[in-house]
Every structure is written in C-alpha cells, then in structure tokens.
Amino acid sequence: MTGRVFPPRHEWVPRIFIREDCFYAIDLPVDEDLNEHARLNPGTLRIEDIEGNVLWPEGAKN
C-alpha cells in the first residue's frame, strides 16, 4: 500500500490513452499525474479527456 489517499471513485474521470495501434480508457482521479502514467506505459502517444482535449503531452494541440 502506498499510503496515498484517493478521492472517492465517483470523483474520478475517464482518460483516453492513445497508442499507435489502439486506444484504451481508464478512470483516474482528476488531479492524477499523467506524466507518470505515460512514463509507466511506454508507447503512449497522447492522453485525452472524453471531449478530445489533449491533456498529455502537456500543451499539445489537436
């Protein structure tokens, strides 16, 4: 156990991880460190919200 306190699940939001050959969605806390998730998932090209806004890499444009 990490000792980290997570917000209640109903406060989590879907994040779409885009890869070269596929995509997948996972629910994460709103303030989750997307840099860390991208680092732990090599091959991630970008991370978007459900409206298509690019969240990572930070500052990327659609």
Side-chain angles (χ1 to χ4, degrees):
M1 188 160 199
T2 65
R4 180 174 172 195
V5 177
F6 290 98
R9 290 282 296 167
H10 70 273
E11 294 179 9
W12 293 28
V13 294
R15 299 299 186 214
I16 315 300
F17 285 67
I18 309 295
R19 301 173 65 85
E20 188 172 318
D21 59 346
C22 67
F23 69 92
Y24 59 93
I26 59 173
D27 287 341
L28 296 170
V30 172
D31 62 350
E32 191 74 356
D33 181 3
L34 297 179
N35 290 310
E36 182 67 7
H37 279 275
R39 184 184 71 76
L40 293 171
N41 293 281
T44 300
L45 301 175
R46 68 184 182 278
I47 302 171
E48 300 179 355
D49 64 14
I50 61 171
E51 296 175 353
N53 297 306
V54 177
L55 306 173
W56 183 92
E58 194 171 331
K61 303 292 181 203
N62 286 343

